[in-house]
């Protein structure tokens, strides 16, 4: 997969931010399909508080990119109705915690509509949610809420960690006939990569993880905002003699057991890394699956490095909360290396 | 009933001017103030609009009244039949709309085929009256699946159990239709209790801001399960809520099918012609308990029920029709026996066990089952096969 | 602990249902402390749709047991304000799925208020939620939503599986100075046990699991509605030669690692059983913890028996969805017994 | 401004009687219909209530006006100082209430010590004006903790970032106080945008049904970030929303501090004396950008800002005071320099780095940390110790 990605960006690739790639994906989707409508708070004239929707209202008109009243349940609820009528709404929630007022619409309708109606009412609907911390936001601006969505059958849950995936996954999400929760790692919005908007990556199907770094000693399983942390940790680990493999899940639902299990069976050790709370967070599911499926291949228990089990801290303390390189390396060090040798 | 009126926009006026800057000449003038919408035409009448038994009845179309009469009689019979089926264990539960049939059938009758209906959980009758196959409409309450009909085929959204959550859907659909240039109105039903939910508020507001072609019908039947209206709202009427969104509020006698039809027809027409949404409150009463599982004697007096039972939507229309010579015994008999036939068919069809396939659990969660769901489906398949094998063996013994 | 329970119910115990025990706990708490207020939909005159609050309005007045308007965010939000003023509100959500409209109040305020204010504003607030299926409810009446609450730091999450615990845990929840999500297994409401309301069980601190059945072959880890299933499975397993231990968690947050780990280290095998969805459900966290902490004691991977990853099915199909005795036994059979012998 | 009036209950009246059962004698009478509350006194005036520059100003208490003037001048200075501190990196963010100071200081001034204030995220100034230590009030925005003050000590709820979510808290607290027999009123602030949230609706409704002693002040500053009022609501005024809950709605000029104070005082008084809740809409304008991080030129015209800048709450009060000879240059100078001192103290205190303890992450999640949190605290403790050790060693080199 990495090869394919490399090919695609070969010709004429210029540095682009993840924010630009997301914006471009919206633009291209709207241009390709008049059924795609963007709605949310401040997405129109302002272009969104992260400027992701900048220019869309101008290019496609207020009816295609709409500033809504300030009411998240109303936004998601009307989007459901729009999807029922054949549109493909793309909803922007301004911040993670501000999606909570729409939780009932999400859990009771968005996730269930296709099923309730025996397939008669699919909801091709994307909910974009900037998530996670590391940007110095005050309370309620830095939640990692993916556990809620993972526990809700009927939703797809994806999150890009690279500029290219931001484009490809969002195109795939909008093209999907099922509702997709598209989690945008806020602190990677301004991450850059050589990426050519002239030849944007083909849309990959949702549900495939990717090995971002090959290694033999242990597997770091991660996604979204923690991928750069893991890659950095993997580099640092070389000094300790560990050659770490890094798997970027990209899709939490569906989960790519195949890629993850193949890696861990080979390395025999695994650490799950994410920003979300540990207890009850995504890592529990991931570690449980890996422990069950790789039981006879594991040299050490699957460990988790996660945010602490506390409400997201204030800006001045978030550095102590967020899993960083050192905490990842500490976990790797606890993978019972002595036992093996 | 008030005439529908397009919102009036006052010209911008400097208020300070009118009151005068009496003392402080240096005081700067306030920026222009404008009331954005004239509230007067939005306000509901002080009393519910009525047709039957009033002079207005003379103008009502006899053919329409007869058609509504047929629907009412069938509707009542549907309610009693469905309740009976709960006693026979053929329905898991049935929230009867007995006493509210005028609202149910008027809501269905007022819509064109291309329009959409958004029912609440109590509105099976409106769904059936709109033309949905009754067994499909009762699937949810029988329990073999959730929504039993194809919403697109009938342009009827799923019966919504979480209260008021269907209202923003109606707004979104109506808005989408308008954006596409389609002539489609959405009519959404909700109860008095449902108006307390945040979703009611957000739906009303979006509808008004977007001027979406949607009509909200609140069936104020006096209770939310056991909770009477007085504990639900202190508003003058629920129709008064409309004013705060900038849409017209209309109050109607919910047992007077001609009145409900007229008010809804006007609102649908306003929506259709670009006049935006309307909130209609129909004052009615839930004659039966909340559902067959409820014991209404715990929270309300028989007297109250009796008073409303006397003011029966079927009987008051019948009285009107008979008074005007539009209905005789023979015709009434014909309608009644038609309703009996409908009930008999319903009994018959619901007395058969529905075909259910456990594997359907996995068939509709996503367009394509996830790998995880495929695994789980295989597990259930194996369990079912094993059970069938065991049964087969036992049967062979 | 089982001994203590037996002692306590020794004298004059009569059969009581779990519903009665919960009602009694509310009554006693209200009688003991005038700060305890019950509020919710239909809790007053009607006594609640499950009759749990029957008689409370009559005994304590409408101001102590209040029929609210139909608005769950409003109920929980006003309860927060009442708790701020020193009351101890006990909120009833009518059904699991109808708690979702209050999700923002729960996640952004109830769970966080103490923390946000550095301890200045604790919220002694109990949210009672009837949960789970098995009672033939139509859609939105049978959700197992515990995963959402477990993933939200600041909440305690408890659920009784026995008549006695229903009383004791609810008293403990109301006595707690922290918000407690009290999950009531609907299908156990009418389960009966000899239990003496004259000498109700002393309130145990929240956070202790209990071994409901001792065994040596493997541990079934469960809670709430699945406890009876596990006990029945354990009986049935004797025929296969398996002597199963059954742990009733009772408290999901805090989690009693000690009791669980002690059991699994001894038996060497474990199956987590619950009704909630598997993927992203509570079992992931539980299995991950056990796998990590018992790594060197495990003879087989920790398995999970859970509801399928689907929206809760309609009444006629729920029997196929709910984890029953057979499915538990199938999982036990897959615990790699051959490998051992 | 309308006189406060207790809701009028109409006697029950048979409506059919009034319109007459003209044709069908057999038609049963409808059960009694009653409008539960007279809507007329609930309706807001057509224009915002003003005091300054009108005849009413003559009746205003000079001492109160002078006190409010001092608060306004200090308030403006607080806003400019806090904004400046964001540029110096001393505050993570500051949502300025420049232009809205009249609402902020009136909200604080109108409350008795025993009353409670429920601020929204933009209302740091109201919190400070109520007496909270400014550095404690700014803790959230500096980022060393969330709420920096003890809500019980000041009877000020935490600044609420999730919009409108604090409104039900205010209702619950006011209700609880009344149940306990305490004379406590809650005043809750919310923005025009916040009125669209479901929590606004539910709070208003609970307050009205419970007749809770609570006052809601909507600061309609024209924008929710970039979204203008016209995209937020189609209501005649936001004050009209009150009618749909059965509470009085009042409209006031939000830049006229005397008017805001008078309207709020009346509402607080009504709440205190058992008259229930009031919704007050104050028409004002957000002079600064949404926060220091926002670029308001993207969505609004300088002309509009200039018009409102001219109608400055501080200047119009100053003009009034000077016109009436209540303020001279010396006094104005004294007030201004007091405000400068306040700003200097604030700068000084915020220029010091706050003491933070990472271990506090675990200290307030529960009354007692869970075993899991104890483990995690030990882990962080060990990391910190190791880091300190490493630093110590490096320092020793
Ligand atoms: C969000 C939500 N909360 C609670 C319920 C439980 N419930 C079902 S019906 C009902 C009362 C509804 O009253 P109303 O809206 O007046 O409708 P009616 O039953 O009178 O038709 C309640 C509380 C629900 N279905 N949805
Ligand atoms: C529930 C919620 N949704 C979204 C936001 C993000 N947000 C912060 S301020 C704001 C605009 C608020 O507008 P308004 O209520 O008019 O208050 P103002 O900023 O004008 O004081 C938005 C959308 C939020 N804080 N809370
Ligand atoms: Mg009702
Ligand atoms: Mg505003």
């Amino acid at each position: 997969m990495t090869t394919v990605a490399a090919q695609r960006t070969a010709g004429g690739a210029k540095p682009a931010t993840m924010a630009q790639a997301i914006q471009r994906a919206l633009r291209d989707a709207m241009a390709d399909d008049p059924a795609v409508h963007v709605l949310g708070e401040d997405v129109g004239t302002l272009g969104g508080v992260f400027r992701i929707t900048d220019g869309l209202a101008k290019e496609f008109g207020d009816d295609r990119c709409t500033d809504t009243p300030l009411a998240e349940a109303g936004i998601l609820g009307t989007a459901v109705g729009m999807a029922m009528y054949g549109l493909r709404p793309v909803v922007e929630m301004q911040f993670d915690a501000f999606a909570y007022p729409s939780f009932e619409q999400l859990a009771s309708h968005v996730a269930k509509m296709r099923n309730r109606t025996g397939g008669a009412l699919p909801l091709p609907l994307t909910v974009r949610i900037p998530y996670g911390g590391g940007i110095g936001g005050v309370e309620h601006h830095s939640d990692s809420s993916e556990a809620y969505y993972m526990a809700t059958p009927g939703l797809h849950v994806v999150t890009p960690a690279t500029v290219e995936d931001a484009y490809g996954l969002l195109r795939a999400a909008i093209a999907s006939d099922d509702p997709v929760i598209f989690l945008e790692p806020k602190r990677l919005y301004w991450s850059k990569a050589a990426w050519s908007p002239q030849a944007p990556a083909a849309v990959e199907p949702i549900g495939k993880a990717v090995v971002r770094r090959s290694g033999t000693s242990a597997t770091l399983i991660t996604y979204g905002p923690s991928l750069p942390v893991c890659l950095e940790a993997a580099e640092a680990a070389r000094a300790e003699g560990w050659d770490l493999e890094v798997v970027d899940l990209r899709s939490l639902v569906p989960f790519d057991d195949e890629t993850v299990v193949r890696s861990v069976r080979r390395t025999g050790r695994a650490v799950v890394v994410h920003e979300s709370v540990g207890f009850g967070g995504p890592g529990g599911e991931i570690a449980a699956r890996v422990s069950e499926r790789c039981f006879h291949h594991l040299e050490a228990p699957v460990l988790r490095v996660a945010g602490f089990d506390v409400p997201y801290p204030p800006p001045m303390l978030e550095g102590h909360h967020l899993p960083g390189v050192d905490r990842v390396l500490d976990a790797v060090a606890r993978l019972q290396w002595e036992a093996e040798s | 009933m008030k005439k529908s009126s397009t919102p009036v926009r006052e010209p911008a006026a400097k208020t300070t001017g009118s009151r005068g800057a009496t003392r402080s000449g240096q005081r700067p003038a306030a920026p222009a103030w404008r009331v954005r919408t004239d509230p007067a035409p939005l306000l509901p009448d002080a009393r519910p609009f009525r047709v039957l038994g009033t002079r207005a009845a003379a103008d009502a179309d006899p053919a329409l009244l007869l058609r509504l009469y047929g629907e009412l009689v069938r509707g009542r019979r549907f309610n009693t039949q469905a309740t009976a089926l709960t006693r026979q264990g053929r329905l898991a539960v049935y929230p009867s709309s007995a006493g509210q049939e005028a609202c149910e059938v008027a809501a269905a009758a007022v819509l064109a085929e291309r329009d959409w209906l958004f029912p609440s959980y109590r509105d099976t009758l409106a769904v059936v009256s709109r033309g949905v196959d009754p067994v499909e409409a009762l699937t949810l309450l029988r329990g073999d699946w959730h929504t039993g009909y194809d919403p697109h085929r009938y342009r009827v959204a799923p019966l919504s159990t979480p209260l008021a959550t269907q209202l923003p859907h109606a707004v979104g659909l109506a808005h989408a239709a308008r954006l596409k240039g389609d002539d489609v109105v959405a009519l959404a039903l909700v109860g008095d209790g449902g108006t307390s939910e945040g979703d009611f508020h957000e739906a009303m507001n979006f509808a008004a801001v977007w001027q979406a072609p949607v009509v909200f019908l609140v069936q104020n039947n006096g209770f939310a399960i056991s909770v009477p209206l007085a504990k639900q709202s202190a508003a003058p009427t629920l129709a008064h809520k409309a004013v705060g969104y900038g849409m017209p509020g209309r109050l109607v006698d919910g047992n007077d099918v001609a009145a409900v039809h007229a008010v809804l027809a006007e609102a649908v027409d306003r929506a259709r012609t670009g006049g935006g949404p309307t909130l209609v409150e129909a004052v009615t009463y839930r004659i039966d308990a909340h559902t067959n599982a409820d014991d209404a004697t715990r929270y309300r007096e028989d007297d109250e029920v009796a008073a409303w039972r006397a003011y029966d939507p079927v009987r008051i229309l019948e009285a009107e029709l008979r008074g005007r010579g539009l209905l005789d015994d023979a015709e009434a008999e014909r309608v009644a026996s038609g309703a009996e036939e409908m009930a008999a068919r319903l009994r018959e069809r619901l007395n058969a066990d529905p075909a259910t396939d456990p594997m359907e659990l996995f068939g509709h969660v996503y367009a394509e089952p996830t790998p995880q769901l495929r695994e789980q489906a295989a597990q259930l398949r194996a369990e079912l096969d094993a059970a069938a094998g065991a049964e087969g063996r036992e049967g062979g013994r």
Side-chain angles (χ1 to χ4, degrees), chain A, chain B:
Chain A
M1 256 172 244
T2 345
T3 344
V4 181
Q7 275 181 335
R8 275 195 301 246
T9 51
K14 272 182 259 160
T17 64
M18 183 181 285
Q20 287 167 332
I22 297 174
Q23 182 191 34
R24 179 61 189 247
L26 288 172
R27 208 209 135 270
D28 289 356
M30 291 175 85
D32 285 0
D33 183 354
V36 176
H37 282 241
V38 168
L39 62 165
E41 294 156 8
D42 302 288
V43 297
T45 315
L46 183 65
V49 294
F50 292 106
R51 301 291 184 274
I52 302 295
T53 58
D54 197 17
L56 298 180
K58 209 163 181 187
E59 183 171 353
F60 298 100
D62 287 349
D63 284 344
R64 294 284 304 281
C65 179
T66 307
D67 281 331
T68 64
L70 208 169
E72 293 78 9
I75 298 169
L76 192 56
T78 51
V80 167
M82 291 166 75
M84 284 172 69
Y85 203 75
L87 300 185
R88 292 191 171 266
V90 182
V91 160
E92 174 175 303
M93 293 289 166
Q94 204 160 74
F95 282 87
D96 27 67
F98 306 145
Y100 300 156
S102 67
F103 194 74
E104 148 145 278
Q105 284 291 341
L106 195 79
S108 291
H109 288 298
V110 174
K112 292 179 177 152
M113 194 65 88
R114 174 190 284 276
N115 187 69
R116 303 166 68 191
T117 58
L121 263 192
L123 291 182
L125 191 157
T126 303
V127 186
R128 295 179 37 240
I129 310 180
Y131 82 120
I135 62 158
V138 300
E139 57 174 355
H140 309 294
H141 284 79
S142 299
D143 282 16
S144 291
S145 34
E146 54 270 34
Y148 301 138
Y149 308 125
M150 286 172 69
T152 308
L155 303 176
H156 287 311
V157 185
V158 303
T159 179
T162 68
V163 172
E164 186 177 22
D165 272 2
Y167 182 93
L169 279 175
L170 183 51
R171 290 303 302 269
I174 298 173
S176 168
D177 283 337
D178 285 315
V180 180
I181 308 296
F182 187 82
L183 297 166
E184 303 177 359
K186 282 195 279 290
R187 60 171 157 140
L188 298 187
Y189 269 148
W190 304 281
S191 65
K192 275 193 181 169
W195 174 75
S196 165
Q198 263 61 51
V203 173
E204 297 217 46
I206 284 173
K208 295 281 166 231
V210 60
V211 176
R212 294 288 180 198
R213 184 189 194 283
S214 302
T216 53
S217 316
T219 304
L220 302 182
I221 306 169
T222 191
Y223 58 86
S226 295
L227 176 65
V229 176
C230 287
L231 290 174
E232 201 185 324
E235 280 311 302
R238 290 169 57 184
E240 314 278 335
W242 295 313
D243 178 21
L244 301 182
E245 180 144 315
V246 179
V247 175
D248 173 5
L249 293 172
R250 305 200 290 190
S251 170
L252 295 169
V253 182
F255 190 85
D256 186 353
D257 282 311
E258 204 185 311
T259 302
V260 173
V261 166
R262 196 190 310 124
S263 171
V264 179
R265 287 200 179 152
R266 197 157 39 71
T267 62
R269 288 178 169 86
V271 180
V272 184
V273 183
H274 61 56
E275 245 186 75
S276 167
V277 291
F279 190 90
E285 178 62 43
I286 300 167
R289 305 186 78 73
V290 170
S291 298
E292 178 182 343
R293 285 167 175 70
C294 305
F295 187 72
H296 293 289
H297 301 77
L298 285 175
E299 308 285 346
V302 178
L303 298 183
R304 287 184 275 165
V305 176
F308 295 125
D309 298 336
V310 305
Y312 196 86
M316 289 190 186
L317 295 182
E318 68 178 342
H320 296 283
H321 173 74
L322 290 170
V325 169
D326 287 347
R327 224 168 263 163
V328 173
L329 291 176
D330 283 352
V332 171
R334 284 187 288 117
L335 288 173
Q336 310 194 351
W337 301 97
E338 329 71 34
E340 187 195 22
S341 61
Chain B
M1 181 172 41
K2 258 188 222 88
K3 282 280 153 57
S4 85
S5 65
T6 33
V8 174
R9 293 200 172 264
E10 273 195 31
K14 309 245 178 211
T15 321
T16 39
S18 72
R19 270 181 162 147
T22 45
R23 302 189 52 114
S24 49
Q26 324 93 306
R27 188 172 169 282
W33 164 254
R34 51 171 89 217
V35 171
R36 289 166 304 133
T37 312
D38 178 11
L42 307 181
L43 282 163
D45 287 341
R47 295 172 184 291
F49 176 69
R50 294 201 168 103
V51 169
L52 301 178
T54 76
R55 269 178 242 287
D59 302 332
D61 173 12
L64 175 66
L65 292 185
L66 279 170
R67 186 180 137 215
L68 292 172
Y69 176 71
E71 288 295 323
L72 279 186
V73 171
R74 270 193 299 281
R76 171 62 47 81
R77 191 63 192 86
F78 182 85
N79 272 322
T80 54
Q81 182 58 65
T83 297
L85 284 163
T86 62
R87 284 192 293 271
Q88 290 137 31
R90 285 298 172 181
L91 291 177
V93 64
Y94 183 70
S96 165
S97 57
Q100 304 175 220
E101 288 94 346
C103 296
E104 298 284 314
V105 309
V110 82
L111 294 180
E113 227 187 290
R114 61 191 177 282
D115 297 330
W116 273 75
L117 181 72
F118 285 78
S120 182
Y121 78 105
R122 193 179 294 289
D123 305 314
T124 312
L125 177 55
V127 171
V128 170
S129 189
R130 168 106 173 123
V132 173
D133 178 278
V135 174
E136 290 181 13
L138 287 167
T139 299
L140 176 75
L141 304 169
R142 176 156 68 163
D144 47 317
W145 195 253
H146 311 291
T147 303
Y149 49 90
D150 177 350
H152 283 295
R153 178 166 164 214
Y154 300 102
R155 284 158 309 283
V156 177
L159 290 155
S160 179
T161 300
L163 298 165
T165 57
Q166 74 281 13
L167 305 181
H169 306 172
V171 176
L173 182 136
H175 178 61
R178 204 178 56 136
L179 291 183
K180 283 197 174 185
D182 295 349
D183 170 17
V184 170
V185 172
L187 171 59
L189 307 180
V190 67
D192 47 314
T195 65
S196 295
E197 288 283 1
D199 275 10
F200 170 84
H201 176 67
E202 302 189 12
M204 294 281 287
N205 191 45
F206 274 67
V209 170
W210 287 350
Q211 287 287 293
V214 58
V215 177
F216 302 98
L217 172 60
V218 178
Q219 290 189 57
N220 172 4
N221 64 3
F223 288 90
I225 308 187
S226 70
V227 179
L229 187 63
K231 289 188 183 177
Q232 196 69 247
S233 170
T237 72
L238 298 176
H240 276 87
K241 291 184 181 289
V243 184
Y245 304 100
M247 72 172 80
R250 297 291 177 252
L251 188 62
V252 65
D253 182 332
N255 287 23
D256 178 336
V257 71
V260 180
H261 190 277
V263 171
L264 288 180
E266 191 204 69
V268 166
D269 189 55
R270 176 163 43 245
R272 209 181 283 298
T273 54
T278 304
L279 172 68
V280 178
E281 173 188 355
V283 182
T284 180
Y285 196 79
R286 196 194 74 208
I287 292 294
D288 288 342
H290 166 62
T291 68
N292 51 296
D294 176 43
D295 173 9
T297 63
R298 291 176 74 101
Y299 53 80
R300 67 182 189 186
E301 299 297 329
D302 288 348
D303 280 6
E304 187 182 273
V305 184
W308 279 95
R309 211 181 268 283
Y311 190 60
D312 183 89
V314 192
R315 276 180 56 199
I316 60 175
L317 177 57
E318 186 169 336
E320 180 81 38
L321 291 172
R322 286 189 186 267
R324 285 172 60 190
L326 294 170
L327 184 75
D328 58 17
D329 287 350
E331 176 64 7
E333 184 47 44
R334 212 186 53 77
V335 171
S337 71
E340 273 317 317
E341 267 168 48
M342 177 276 299
R345 263 196 316 278
L346 190 60
R347 268 198 311 275
E348 196 185 315
R349 292 179 63 197
L350 282 174
N351 277 331
D353 285 328
T356 58
D357 175 5
M359 296 309 293
E360 227 186 324
L361 286 180
F362 305 101
H364 313 295
V365 186
Y366 299 98
E368 286 295 323
T370 62
Q372 289 73 31
L373 284 178
R374 279 199 298 270
E375 272 178 28
Q376 292 167 30
Q379 182 194 338
L380 181 57
R381 178 80 278 157
E383 289 178 9
L384 294 170
D385 289 349
E391 253 178 49
R393 280 190 302 280
E394 273 177 38
R397 263 178 220 161

